[in-house]
Amino acid sequence: MRDHRRDGVPRGNLPLELDSFVGRGAQLAELARTLDSARLVTVTGTGGVGKSRLAARAAARRSPRDGVWRVQLAPVRDEEFVDYAVVEALGLTDHTTRLPRETLFAHLAERELLLVLDGVEHLVDACAALVTDLLGRAPGLSVLAVGRRPLEVPGERRIPLPPLGPEEAVELLTVRAGQRNVTYGYDADLDEDHGEVRELCRRLDGIPLAIELAAGRLGALSPAQVLQRLDDRFRLLTGGDRAALPRHRTLRTAIGWSHELCTARERLLWARLSVFAGPFDLEAAEYVCSGEELPADDVLDVLSALLDQSVLAREETSAGVRYRMLDTVRAYGADWLAAAGDAHRLRRRHRDWYVGLATWCELEWFSPRQGEVAARVDAELPNLRSALEHCLSEPDGAHLGQYLAGSLWFHWVGCGRLSEGRRWLEQAVRLDAEPTAGDQSRLKALWVLAHVAILQGDTVPALAALQECREEAERSANPTAVAYAEHRTGCLALVTDDARRAERLLRSALRRYRDIGELNSNVLMCQVELAMTRAFQGDLREAVRLSADVRQVCEDHGERWARGYALYVLAYAAWSDGDPVHARALLADCLGGAHRFRDQLGSVLAVELLALVTLAEGDATEAAVLQGAAGRMWPSVGLPLFGSAHYNAPHELCEAAAREQLGDERYEDCVRHGARLGRREAVSRALRRPGGAVSLPGPRPAGRRSAAGSQTPKPAASPTHRGGETAG
């Protein structure tokens, strides 16, 4: 990704150009002029004409204060997910029950940025409504839409993109063929075949995707041979009237021609790969697409051939190498898959792979690979959504859908996707009004739904889901579900200020976890929550003992997420003991991890406590700035819930002392300054040590202790994990 930065803060997510940009000088200039004078510009044109590439090139040349952000809409199939896709692209996190559009209103209201909506044609109504609302609420926002159809909203300026001119088309074919010569060994000089090259580009109507596909064949065929084969197909489909050939048919003909030149196994893999909703890796392709006609061991060779022919593209991501198809190419393969009568079977195989992936990721979340798991699920989200859709649309898919939605709890809760998770969980639970006795999938979906609702501050539906889960779990003698229901009920009591009841329920849940041998991030969070209840009741010694034990277990297993909350409790105790240096070290570790996981609750709690630590270090001005930054973050968490007497105590203490030192006017000025900071800016500022530089600490290898850790009391044996009596 192109990472525009100001003061170390990212200012966009435009993809880096992996190959040269050819031609389009006039269109680039026109688009730049139009973007200077209009807030909504739509680039339209036929599939494969180069709209996305042109828009990305033009957008990269702009420098609005808050950056350029691209939203890829091709993988989005449901109009309800358009808003979520924009929220995700902007890197926003919202734990509340607010609709994603409200989150966008709040984020964009005072920002100056360019939003690129790429691939709007299949979601025109939803995109038009969103753009109209956003432009009306955010005066600093501009939108560059890309699609085969305009949005048809007031104020829209349209830039229809024609195919390449003759010289540009020849240049593109020559450049791309030259790039492939190194790999594929075609040594002919294209200048000697200039007539055939020009004619080939004319037959392809100057459509860049068609030219790219033709260039992929120049590793094996001469321009004259390519032209002859293409000419035969054009005549077949158009009755010989090439001059009247519509451009959309030209593209489909070019894709079909490339399809015919593929071997039988290449065509088969092309069709089967069309079931992927987004980028995929080799292992997924080998499982989903293999069969009697195409053994798994042969998938790599066939996939490589499709890559050579530009049917597939390869890209590097934070989760490793991925492959993707352009939407037009995928649609062609999907037609062939449907015609073969194999679409349903392949979608089920696709579903099964991603259910298995979610199962693996849930297990690996409690391991040193936690960061890798977070990146993997982020990369696979379009395909996981497709699998969820398939489960929930199948007559017999309710239980599997409940299992999949529940197994992704760590992603919904730990990686800042509460709103989307709740949508899937509610759909899954509604599908099965009469569960079978002891149905583990439904019970899991219920307690995960309750957990999500609790974190959103929506207590009534959370309590209803927990009651249903507990009653059914007891009726079916399911001890695991009983433990989770009791744990989450205790969590609900904790965040609603009933610390005594919370302690009773959490201790009981820990005993149940111990009895069934359960150990994972949820169990450790239960012990952290118990530590919080003790801290809120004034027993810091017990709170430290419980949290230090969690910290040690986390470091033994490489767990980072629950560890961050344990560090928060330890930091609070260190501050209470008059040791701001130790408290800051613990909070820096806590905040860095929460920010990487997009855990908004963990982030804002740490920033609030860092403000209090900063005050203790003698800097009331910076403390007030951090309070303002936290104040901007709280609405994304749920201020009515977590702004309770216990969670809000650090804020109130800090505010009272800072106001006294600075005076009301100066304090409010500092708070307003902090409130203008974005999420990453706020985190960077909070992590700036006195007199030092900003840093976002990276993860340390599992099992290693920080220097600050040596100041923490030695962890006691935990009954939950080591047979003692701490949690009981």
Side-chain angles (χ1 to χ4, degrees), residues 306-321:
L306 293 177
L307 191 65
D308 292 346
Q309 299 162 45
S310 299
V311 174
L312 293 176
R314 181 183 184 274
E315 56 187 28
E316 296 281 350
T317 73
S318 59
V321 174

Side-chain angles (χ1 to χ4, degrees), residues 599-619:
D599 183 346
Q600 193 80 334
L601 174 59
S603 295
V604 73
L605 288 174
V607 172
E608 285 280 21
L609 192 50
L610 272 167
L612 192 56
V613 169
T614 302
L615 182 72
E617 293 168 336
D619 193 345

Side-chain angles (χ1 to χ4, degrees), residues 319-493:
V321 174
R322 291 289 184 275
Y323 304 94
R324 61 177 176 84
M325 276 185 176
L326 288 178
D327 194 47
T328 308
V329 175
R330 179 186 292 112
Y332 192 93
D335 287 346
W336 276 85
L337 188 64
D342 209 18
H344 182 69
R345 184 182 70 86
L346 263 293
R347 286 208 67 189
R348 290 179 73 91
R349 287 182 67 85
H350 176 275
R351 176 206 66 190
D352 292 345
W353 172 262
Y354 285 99
V355 168
L357 177 68
T359 302
W360 177 85
C361 286
E362 182 185 19
L363 293 171
E364 291 299 301
W365 178 255
F366 185 58
S367 81
R369 289 173 290 280
Q370 201 169 56
E372 175 189 334
V373 167
R376 180 75 182 270
V377 175
D378 259 344
E380 301 287 9
L381 198 53
N383 284 304
L384 286 164
R385 287 169 177 157
S386 179
L388 279 163
E389 287 175 356
H390 185 71
C391 290
L392 300 179
S393 64
E394 288 279 279
D396 59 347
H399 297 302
L400 202 53
Q402 290 161 359
Y403 172 80
L404 179 53
S407 295
L408 290 170
W409 68 266
F410 63 91
H411 190 64
W412 313 136
V413 171
C415 301
R417 296 190 186 276
L418 291 178
S419 181
E420 178 175 349
R422 185 166 178 182
R423 179 182 182 276
W424 288 117
L425 289 160
E426 286 179 337
Q427 282 190 50
V429 169
R430 280 198 303 265
L431 279 180
D432 195 13
E434 297 182 2
T436 58
D439 179 9
Q440 182 68 39
S441 297
R442 178 177 173 78
L443 294 177
K444 185 173 187 176
L446 282 168
W447 71 253
V448 175
L449 173 59
H451 189 190
V452 168
I454 289 168
L455 293 176
Q456 290 184 310
D458 206 0
T459 59
V460 174
L463 188 58
L466 286 170
Q467 287 176 339
E468 182 181 350
C469 180
R470 179 70 180 257
E471 291 170 3
E472 178 56 35
E474 289 179 339
R475 185 163 50 246
S476 59
N478 188 319
T480 301
V482 170
Y484 278 99
E486 188 164 59
H487 171 189
R488 292 307 163 197
T489 306
C491 180
L492 180 58

Side-chain angles (χ1 to χ4, degrees), residues 1 31 85 176 237 332 387 439 636 682 684-685 706:
M1 292 292 179
L31 182 52
R176 295 294 183 259
L237 293 183
Y332 192 93
D439 179 9
S636 295
S684 295
R685 181 130 186 181
S706 67

Side-chain angles (χ1 to χ4, degrees), residues 470-544:
R470 179 70 180 257
E471 291 170 3
E472 178 56 35
E474 289 179 339
R475 185 163 50 246
S476 59
N478 188 319
T480 301
V482 170
Y484 278 99
E486 188 164 59
H487 171 189
R488 292 307 163 197
T489 306
C491 180
L492 180 58
L494 174 64
V495 299
T496 52
D497 285 333
D498 192 347
R500 290 186 179 278
R501 181 168 184 263
E503 180 181 353
R504 176 174 56 80
L505 290 166
L506 293 170
R507 286 191 185 277
S508 176
L510 282 170
R511 284 193 294 269
R512 293 181 188 276
Y513 285 141
R514 178 192 60 203
D515 291 344
I516 62 177
E518 191 87 345
L519 176 59
N520 54 36
S521 298
N522 278 303
V523 174
L524 294 176
M525 280 300 296
C526 186
Q527 187 161 321
V528 171
E529 289 154 4
L530 176 60
M532 289 181 176
T533 68
R534 298 308 302 148
F536 291 162
Q537 295 176 83
D539 188 355
L540 286 178
R541 183 177 179 180
E542 177 73 358
V544 166

Side-chain angles (χ1 to χ4, degrees), residues 127-143:
C127 290
L130 174 63
V131 167
T132 301
D133 283 353
L134 293 182
L135 291 176
R137 298 283 194 98
L141 174 67
S142 297
V143 176

